[in-house]
PDB file of all heavy atoms in Angstrom:
ATOM      1  N   MET I  64      12.909  16.694  18.316  1.00  0.00           N
ATOM      2  CA  MET I  64      13.396  17.955  17.733  1.00  0.00           C
ATOM      3  C   MET I  64      12.378  19.085  17.865  1.00  0.00           C
ATOM      4  O   MET I  64      12.737  20.205  18.232  1.00  0.00           O
ATOM      5  CB  MET I  64      13.775  17.742  16.258  1.00  0.00           C
ATOM      6  CG  MET I  64      15.003  16.855  16.078  1.00  0.00           C
ATOM      7  SD  MET I  64      16.510  17.563  16.772  1.00  0.00           S
ATOM      8  CE  MET I  64      17.118  18.500  15.374  1.00  0.00           C
ATOM      9  N   ILE I  65      11.095  18.819  17.607  1.00  0.00           N
ATOM     10  CA  ILE I  65      10.109  19.911  17.671  1.00  0.00           C
ATOM     11  C   ILE I  65       9.965  20.424  19.108  1.00  0.00           C
ATOM     12  O   ILE I  65       9.582  21.562  19.339  1.00  0.00           O
ATOM     13  CB  ILE I  65       8.736  19.488  17.088  1.00  0.00           C
ATOM     14  CG1 ILE I  65       7.859  20.724  16.802  1.00  0.00           C
ATOM     15  CG2 ILE I  65       7.995  18.512  17.993  1.00  0.00           C
ATOM     16  CD1 ILE I  65       6.569  20.440  16.044  1.00  0.00           C
ATOM     17  N   THR I  66      10.323  19.588  20.083  1.00  0.00           N
ATOM     18  CA  THR I  66      10.203  19.988  21.486  1.00  0.00           C
ATOM     19  C   THR I  66      11.496  20.614  22.017  1.00  0.00           C
ATOM     20  O   THR I  66      11.473  21.683  22.633  1.00  0.00           O
ATOM     21  CB  THR I  66       9.868  18.754  22.356  1.00  0.00           C
ATOM     22  OG1 THR I  66       8.738  18.095  21.802  1.00  0.00           O
ATOM     23  CG2 THR I  66       9.586  19.164  23.792  1.00  0.00           C
ATOM     24  N   HIS I  67      12.606  19.940  21.796  1.00  0.00           N
ATOM     25  CA  HIS I  67      13.837  20.393  22.460  1.00  0.00           C
ATOM     26  C   HIS I  67      14.504  21.571  21.745  1.00  0.00           C
ATOM     27  O   HIS I  67      15.223  22.339  22.384  1.00  0.00           O
ATOM     28  CB  HIS I  67      14.792  19.209  22.657  1.00  0.00           C
ATOM     29  CG  HIS I  67      14.160  18.108  23.448  1.00  0.00           C
ATOM     30  ND1 HIS I  67      13.508  18.344  24.639  1.00  0.00           N
ATOM     31  CD2 HIS I  67      14.014  16.780  23.200  1.00  0.00           C
ATOM     32  CE1 HIS I  67      13.008  17.206  25.102  1.00  0.00           C
ATOM     33  NE2 HIS I  67      13.293  16.247  24.250  1.00  0.00           N
ATOM     34  N   LEU I  68      14.258  21.733  20.446  1.00  0.00           N
ATOM     35  CA  LEU I  68      14.813  22.938  19.794  1.00  0.00           C
ATOM     36  C   LEU I  68      14.292  24.202  20.484  1.00  0.00           C
ATOM     37  O   LEU I  68      15.086  25.066  20.854  1.00  0.00           O
ATOM     38  CB  LEU I  68      14.503  22.955  18.292  1.00  0.00           C
ATOM     39  CG  LEU I  68      15.261  21.947  17.414  1.00  0.00           C
ATOM     40  CD1 LEU I  68      14.786  22.035  15.973  1.00  0.00           C
ATOM     41  CD2 LEU I  68      16.773  22.137  17.476  1.00  0.00           C
ATOM     42  N   PRO I  69      12.988  24.329  20.746  1.00  0.00           N
ATOM     43  CA  PRO I  69      12.550  25.547  21.456  1.00  0.00           C
ATOM     44  C   PRO I  69      12.847  25.515  22.951  1.00  0.00           C
ATOM     45  O   PRO I  69      13.289  26.522  23.516  1.00  0.00           O
ATOM     46  CB  PRO I  69      11.031  25.586  21.209  1.00  0.00           C
ATOM     47  CG  PRO I  69      10.643  24.174  20.923  1.00  0.00           C
ATOM     48  CD  PRO I  69      11.830  23.562  20.213  1.00  0.00           C
ATOM     49  N   LEU I  70      12.595  24.374  23.614  1.00  0.00           N
ATOM     50  CA  LEU I  70      12.683  24.387  25.087  1.00  0.00           C
ATOM     51  C   LEU I  70      14.122  24.396  25.598  1.00  0.00           C
ATOM     52  O   LEU I  70      14.371  24.821  26.732  1.00  0.00           O
ATOM     53  CB  LEU I  70      11.906  23.211  25.684  1.00  0.00           C
ATOM     54  CG  LEU I  70      10.387  23.246  25.470  1.00  0.00           C
ATOM     55  CD1 LEU I  70       9.690  22.174  26.305  1.00  0.00           C
ATOM     56  CD2 LEU I  70       9.798  24.613  25.796  1.00  0.00           C
ATOM     57  N   CYS I  71      15.064  23.951  24.787  1.00  0.00           N
ATOM     58  CA  CYS I  71      16.471  24.049  25.215  1.00  0.00           C
ATOM     59  C   CYS I  71      17.045  25.429  24.920  1.00  0.00           C
ATOM     60  O   CYS I  71      18.175  25.726  25.298  1.00  0.00           O
ATOM     61  CB  CYS I  71      17.325  22.990  24.522  1.00  0.00           C
ATOM     62  SG  CYS I  71      17.221  21.405  25.346  1.00  0.00           S
ATOM     63  N   SER I  72      16.260  26.257  24.232  1.00  0.00           N
ATOM     64  CA  SER I  72      16.775  27.568  23.836  1.00  0.00           C
ATOM     65  C   SER I  72      16.443  28.684  24.821  1.00  0.00           C
ATOM     66  O   SER I  72      16.905  29.811  24.659  1.00  0.00           O
ATOM     67  CB  SER I  72      16.230  27.944  22.442  1.00  0.00           C
ATOM     68  OG  SER I  72      16.688  27.011  21.501  1.00  0.00           O
ATOM     69  N   ILE I  73      15.587  28.372  25.817  1.00  0.00           N
ATOM     70  CA  ILE I  73      15.281  29.397  26.843  1.00  0.00           C
ATOM     71  C   ILE I  73      15.527  28.792  28.231  1.00  0.00           C
ATOM     72  O   ILE I  73      15.273  27.603  28.441  1.00  0.00           O
ATOM     73  CB  ILE I  73      13.811  29.910  26.755  1.00  0.00           C
ATOM     74  CG1 ILE I  73      12.793  28.743  26.700  1.00  0.00           C
ATOM     75  CG2 ILE I  73      13.626  30.834  25.574  1.00  0.00           C
ATOM     76  CD1 ILE I  73      11.355  29.169  26.843  1.00  0.00           C
ATOM     77  N   PRO I  74      16.008  29.610  29.167  1.00  0.00           N
ATOM     78  CA  PRO I  74      16.245  29.055  30.504  1.00  0.00           C
ATOM     79  C   PRO I  74      14.926  28.824  31.248  1.00  0.00           C
ATOM     80  O   PRO I  74      14.013  29.637  31.169  1.00  0.00           O
ATOM     81  CB  PRO I  74      17.075  30.145  31.195  1.00  0.00           C
ATOM     82  CG  PRO I  74      16.835  31.393  30.416  1.00  0.00           C
ATOM     83  CD  PRO I  74      16.418  31.009  29.030  1.00  0.00           C
ATOM     84  N   ASN I  75      14.811  27.700  31.927  1.00  0.00           N
ATOM     85  CA  ASN I  75      13.684  27.393  32.819  1.00  0.00           C
ATOM     86  C   ASN I  75      12.282  27.635  32.256  1.00  0.00           C
ATOM     87  O   ASN I  75      11.505  28.406  32.846  1.00  0.00           O
ATOM     88  CB  ASN I  75      13.820  28.193  34.131  1.00  0.00           C
ATOM     89  CG  ASN I  75      15.114  27.879  34.819  1.00  0.00           C
ATOM     90  OD1 ASN I  75      15.505  26.717  34.913  1.00  0.00           O
ATOM     91  ND2 ASN I  75      15.811  28.911  35.271  1.00  0.00           N
ATOM     92  N   PRO I  76      11.940  26.977  31.144  1.00  0.00           N
ATOM     93  CA  PRO I  76      10.556  27.140  30.665  1.00  0.00           C
ATOM     94  C   PRO I  76       9.568  26.653  31.721  1.00  0.00           C
ATOM     95  O   PRO I  76       9.783  25.628  32.362  1.00  0.00           O
ATOM     96  CB  PRO I  76      10.507  26.241  29.420  1.00  0.00           C
ATOM     97  CG  PRO I  76      11.662  25.294  29.555  1.00  0.00           C
ATOM     98  CD  PRO I  76      12.705  26.013  30.355  1.00  0.00           C
ATOM     99  N   LYS I  77       8.474  27.436  31.910  1.00  0.00           N
ATOM    100  CA  LYS I  77       7.505  27.072  32.964  1.00  0.00           C
ATOM    101  C   LYS I  77       6.131  26.725  32.394  1.00  0.00           C
ATOM    102  O   LYS I  77       5.519  25.753  32.790  1.00  0.00           O
ATOM    103  CB  LYS I  77       7.339  28.242  33.944  1.00  0.00           C
ATOM    104  CG  LYS I  77       8.552  28.463  34.837  1.00  0.00           C
ATOM    105  CD  LYS I  77       8.199  29.434  35.969  1.00  0.00           C
ATOM    106  CE  LYS I  77       9.319  29.570  36.974  1.00  0.00           C
ATOM    107  NZ  LYS I  77      10.533  30.201  36.425  1.00  0.00           N
ATOM    108  N   LYS I  78       5.644  27.552  31.471  1.00  0.00           N
ATOM    109  CA  LYS I  78       4.302  27.305  30.923  1.00  0.00           C
ATOM    110  C   LYS I  78       4.408  27.044  29.427  1.00  0.00           C
ATOM    111  O   LYS I  78       4.916  27.878  28.679  1.00  0.00           O
ATOM    112  CB  LYS I  78       3.400  28.520  31.173  1.00  0.00           C
ATOM    113  CG  LYS I  78       3.079  28.674  32.642  1.00  0.00           C
ATOM    114  CD  LYS I  78       2.095  29.786  32.873  1.00  0.00           C
ATOM    115  CE  LYS I  78       1.854  29.926  34.369  1.00  0.00           C
ATOM    116  NZ  LYS I  78       1.379  31.227  34.762  1.00  0.00           N
ATOM    117  N   VAL I  79       3.911  25.870  29.036  1.00  0.00           N
ATOM    118  CA  VAL I  79       4.063  25.438  27.640  1.00  0.00           C
ATOM    119  C   VAL I  79       2.699  25.067  27.075  1.00  0.00           C
ATOM    120  O   VAL I  79       1.901  24.409  27.748  1.00  0.00           O
ATOM    121  CB  VAL I  79       5.013  24.217  27.551  1.00  0.00           C
ATOM    122  CG1 VAL I  79       5.176  23.759  26.105  1.00  0.00           C
ATOM    123  CG2 VAL I  79       6.380  24.537  28.173  1.00  0.00           C
ATOM    124  N   LEU I  80       2.439  25.505  25.846  1.00  0.00           N
ATOM    125  CA  LEU I  80       1.206  25.145  25.138  1.00  0.00           C
ATOM    126  C   LEU I  80       1.563  24.324  23.905  1.00  0.00           C
ATOM    127  O   LEU I  80       2.454  24.695  23.138  1.00  0.00           O
ATOM    128  CB  LEU I  80       0.456  26.418  24.695  1.00  0.00           C
ATOM    129  CG  LEU I  80      -0.720  26.207  23.741  1.00  0.00           C
ATOM    130  CD1 LEU I  80      -1.855  25.418  24.407  1.00  0.00           C
ATOM    131  CD2 LEU I  80      -1.250  27.555  23.237  1.00  0.00           C
ATOM    132  N   VAL I  81       0.851  23.206  23.727  1.00  0.00           N
ATOM    133  CA  VAL I  81       1.002  22.389  22.516  1.00  0.00           C
ATOM    134  C   VAL I  81      -0.304  22.502  21.729  1.00  0.00           C
ATOM    135  O   VAL I  81      -1.380  22.275  22.282  1.00  0.00           O
ATOM    136  CB  VAL I  81       1.268  20.908  22.877  1.00  0.00           C
ATOM    137  CG1 VAL I  81       1.422  20.071  21.608  1.00  0.00           C
ATOM    138  CG2 VAL I  81       2.506  20.782  23.770  1.00  0.00           C
ATOM    139  N   ILE I  82      -0.198  22.850  20.461  1.00  0.00           N
ATOM    140  CA  ILE I  82      -1.372  22.875  19.573  1.00  0.00           C
ATOM    141  C   ILE I  82      -1.251  21.671  18.639  1.00  0.00           C
ATOM    142  O   ILE I  82      -0.191  21.454  18.030  1.00  0.00           O
ATOM    143  CB  ILE I  82      -1.407  24.181  18.739  1.00  0.00           C
ATOM    144  CG1 ILE I  82      -1.537  25.411  19.642  1.00  0.00           C
ATOM    145  CG2 ILE I  82      -2.538  24.128  17.718  1.00  0.00           C
ATOM    146  CD1 ILE I  82      -2.867  25.563  20.346  1.00  0.00           C
TER     147      ILE I  82
END
Side-chain angles (χ1 to χ4, degrees):
M64 292 296 271
I65 196 172
T66 308
H67 303 311
L68 288 177
L70 294 190
C71 278
S72 298
I73 50 170
N75 302 316
K77 289 192 174 66
K78 291 185 182 157
V79 180
L80 170 65
V81 180
I82 298 291

